[in-house]
Amino acid sequence: SMMKICVSLRSRIKVSSRSIVKILDTFNEVYDNVFGNLPCANTIDLWTRKCGLDTYNENVQKLSDIKYCEIIDESMMIGSNKLVISLAAPSQHQNHPLSHSDVSIVNITTAESFNAQKICDALNEVTSKVGHAPEYVITDNASAMTKGVSLANCRNHLDISHSLATFLERTYKNEPDFQEYLKDMTNIQFQHNMKHIAYILPPKQRTIARFMNIKNWINWSSCVLEKYSFLGNKEKEILRFIPTNASLIQELSEVISVIYFVENEFKQNGLSIYHVNQCIEHIKKTLLKGSHRMHKLACLIIEYMKKEVSWLSTKDKHNNSSDVIESLYGIYKHMKSPNKLYGVTSLVLHLPVYQALSIKGALSSYNFKERIENIKKKQLNEWSKNNLPQNLVCKRIKALSTGSFFLPIFLAPYPE
């Protein structure tokens, strides 16, 4: 019971092990020692890692007689290494966007950098473990990913969000009016941050994946344009570039509306010939009737959609979104230590437990005791040694813990 409570809190609620001990200790104090003796934080972490490794091993075994697709992506740098995770999902769309309960982690790989061959090796490793290849692989538009899938002789679907953001970037990034507008927004953010006008400033622009997050500041621009005449004189003076760029804002608002329609259609209903035709009809009524830039964007989107379904049958309905793996990386980054020296640690084994317990009612069917008994600490250490990079914090502690390291410094005379 204590094991179940601690591992569930650690993975599902994503609170730290020390916080769990404090929470349970508080309940003990309030409810007359209801939980009795409590485990220490290290024990809770060990339980969770053991459950994670057992679940991770089991995920591959469950796919032996199932048609599946694979989602693969790499994280940003975590310390001096990158993390690549592969997820398995049903090959046919489930009539709702993929969630953590629909997927399972089937491969965890770390390296200082990844090229096409390493991505190919990661895919082939899963294929050899499962016994058959995935029906298709979902990746972003990175060349290492697409080439790696090609080397592994797998079909490839490009993530819908990354693809549409790439087309937006190609269309607008080098346009003079767009660049000037971005510059104006950036300037007021720097000049008036934390001043009385800060309440109405635009949302912060991302330097990475800017066009994947363009919707927030386009919506802000539209709202300010609509309410501009009701603003005070000081606000009007600072935001005077908004009405100046009214035509650009209206154009981008129409573009974002179409982008959202296409994304929503595929994420909710799946990638199929029927839904591609639905999207093309919508684009013909909107983007193709707009400016030359909107026409260029429409052609790029239509070409992409036709290519994506060129090898599908009329009955096929595939997944083509990797949002779920981006969410998983976000969860890991939230859990990990802010100290970059740690890099990727065995904390990553918490993720398979999180996914297994994300299904409502999973706590009653998940056998915590059996899973913890299945994995010995030696197995956990071997897995970490074979799959994870050297922990630089441990290396630092060993290097600085010897007395001889500090002796010359402390005994050296002061300079005269």
Side-chain angles (χ1 to χ4, degrees):
S1 179
M2 177 57 64
M3 198 183 293
K4 187 174 184 178
I5 290 169
C6 292
V7 175
S8 300
L9 288 172
R10 186 71 178 100
S11 56
R12 182 179 273 190
I13 311 300
K14 301 188 291 296
V15 293
S16 70
S17 298
R18 287 180 176 80
S19 297
I20 292 171
V21 174
K22 289 179 181 178
I23 290 167
L24 297 180
D25 189 49
T26 303
F27 273 99
N28 269 348
E29 190 174 339
V30 174
Y31 293 106
D32 194 24
N33 204 34
V34 64
F35 290 115
N37 294 330
L38 300 177
C40 68
N42 289 342
T43 300
I44 296 172
D45 268 335
L46 180 61
W47 286 344
T48 311
R49 283 163 168 78
K50 283 186 173 184
C51 287
L53 183 55
D54 190 66
T55 305
Y56 174 64
N57 293 336
E58 188 183 75
N59 286 342
V60 178
Q61 298 168 9
K62 288 181 178 178
L63 298 172
S64 58
D65 56 351
I66 295 175
K67 289 184 177 181
Y68 69 100
C69 70
E70 201 169 332
I71 308 169
I72 187 168
D73 194 16
E74 65 177 359
S75 70
M76 302 297 290
M77 292 299 295
I78 301 175
S80 58
N81 286 269
K82 287 187 175 183
L83 171 66
V84 163
I85 288 179
S86 296
L87 302 180
S91 60
Q92 289 295 312
H93 193 270
Q94 303 297 295
N95 296 317
H96 62 79
L98 284 174
S99 64
H100 292 292
S101 59
D102 298 314
V103 299
S104 57
I105 298 177
V106 290
N107 192 50
I108 298 172
T109 309
T110 59
E112 291 184 3
S113 62
F114 283 89
N115 55 24
Q117 187 57 54
K118 287 182 179 179
I119 297 300
C120 173
D121 293 341
L123 293 171
N124 287 336
E125 185 179 342
V126 175
T127 299
S128 63
K129 287 180 181 178
V130 174
H132 59 95
E135 300 295 302
Y136 55 92
V137 180
I138 303 171
T139 67
D140 58 21
N141 300 63
S143 59
M145 291 291 167
T146 54
K147 289 178 183 177
V149 174
S150 178
L151 286 173
N153 295 317
C154 294
R155 298 278 195 179
N156 190 197
H157 280 314
L158 298 179
D159 171 59
I160 179 66
S161 298
H162 284 87
S163 298
L164 294 179
T166 300
F167 302 147
L168 272 174
E169 186 173 8
R170 288 181 194 171
T171 306
Y172 287 97
K173 184 178 181 180
N174 297 319
E175 292 293 304
D177 56 345
F178 184 79
Q179 290 181 333
E180 186 65 28
Y181 185 59
L182 287 184
K183 183 179 177 182
D184 288 337
M185 284 206 298
T186 303
N187 286 341
I188 65 165
Q189 283 176 328
F190 280 111
Q191 293 170 6
H192 301 281
N193 185 34
M194 300 304 293
K195 295 184 179 179
H196 75 282
I197 198 70
Y199 76 96
I200 204 170
L201 293 183
K204 188 176 180 180
Q205 299 176 55
R206 292 184 56 169
T207 52
I208 300 174
R210 172 175 290 180
F211 285 86
M212 287 188 69
N213 299 272
I214 196 173
K215 183 180 177 181
N216 289 338
W217 55 266
I218 295 302
N219 287 342
W220 172 86
S221 302
S222 298
C223 290
V224 171
L225 184 62
E226 184 180 343
K227 302 290 184 180
Y228 187 79
S229 59
F230 300 100
L231 298 176
N233 292 333
K234 184 68 175 177
E235 284 86 347
K236 284 182 178 178
E237 175 65 21
I238 292 169
L239 300 174
R240 62 184 181 276
F241 69 93
I242 293 289
T244 305
N245 291 280
S247 60
L248 174 63
I249 294 169
Q250 289 168 356
E251 178 181 331
L252 289 172
S253 296
E254 291 179 40
V255 166
I256 291 302
S257 176
V258 175
I259 293 291
Y260 177 78
F261 176 88
V262 174
E263 275 190 334
N264 189 63
E265 188 73 13
F266 289 147
K267 290 178 183 180
Q268 294 287 345
N269 304 311
L271 175 69
S272 67
I273 294 173
Y274 172 78
H275 290 112
V276 163
N277 291 333
Q278 291 285 99
C279 290
I280 290 174
E281 287 301 315
H282 183 76
I283 289 171
K284 285 179 179 178
K285 295 175 184 177
T286 51
L287 293 183
L288 284 177
K289 292 184 177 180
S291 65
H292 72 284
R293 293 187 297 204
M294 296 169 76
H295 191 279
K296 176 185 175 181
L297 179 62
C299 292
L300 290 171
I301 296 174
I302 290 172
E303 182 184 358
Y304 156 76
M305 291 190 296
K306 287 182 176 180
K307 184 179 179 181
E308 288 291 288
V309 295
S310 60
W311 49 276
L312 270 62
S313 70
T314 53
K315 292 182 180 180
D316 284 335
K317 193 162 64 167
H318 287 181
N319 300 295
N320 72 330
S321 172
S322 64
D323 285 358
V324 66
I325 202 169
E326 301 290 352
S327 171
L328 203 62
Y329 281 129
I331 290 168
Y332 178 70
K333 288 175 183 178
H334 172 76
M335 293 169 65
K336 75 178 184 66
S337 169
N339 186 347
K340 292 182 180 180
L341 276 180
Y342 278 103
V344 183
T345 68
S346 57
L347 180 72
V348 74
L349 289 174
H350 288 220
L351 296 178
V353 190
Y354 170 79
Q355 288 188 308
L357 299 182
S358 63
I359 307 168
K360 191 173 182 181
L363 290 176
S364 58
S365 59
Y366 193 85
N367 195 326
F368 293 86
K369 187 174 184 294
E370 182 182 327
R371 292 181 184 280
I372 289 172
E373 290 174 350
N374 285 344
I375 302 296
K376 307 302 179 185
K377 192 173 181 181
K378 182 180 179 182
Q379 294 172 269
L380 201 59
N381 292 337
E382 285 177 358
W383 184 89
S384 299
K385 184 178 179 181
N386 295 333
N387 295 277
L388 300 178
Q390 183 182 19
N391 191 317
L392 296 182
V393 171
C394 293
K395 188 176 180 181
R396 175 184 174 87
I397 291 170
K398 289 177 182 177
L400 301 182
S401 63
T402 57
S404 59
F405 182 88
F406 292 99
L407 195 60
I409 300 174
F410 291 144
L411 296 183
Y414 288 108
E416 296 182 4

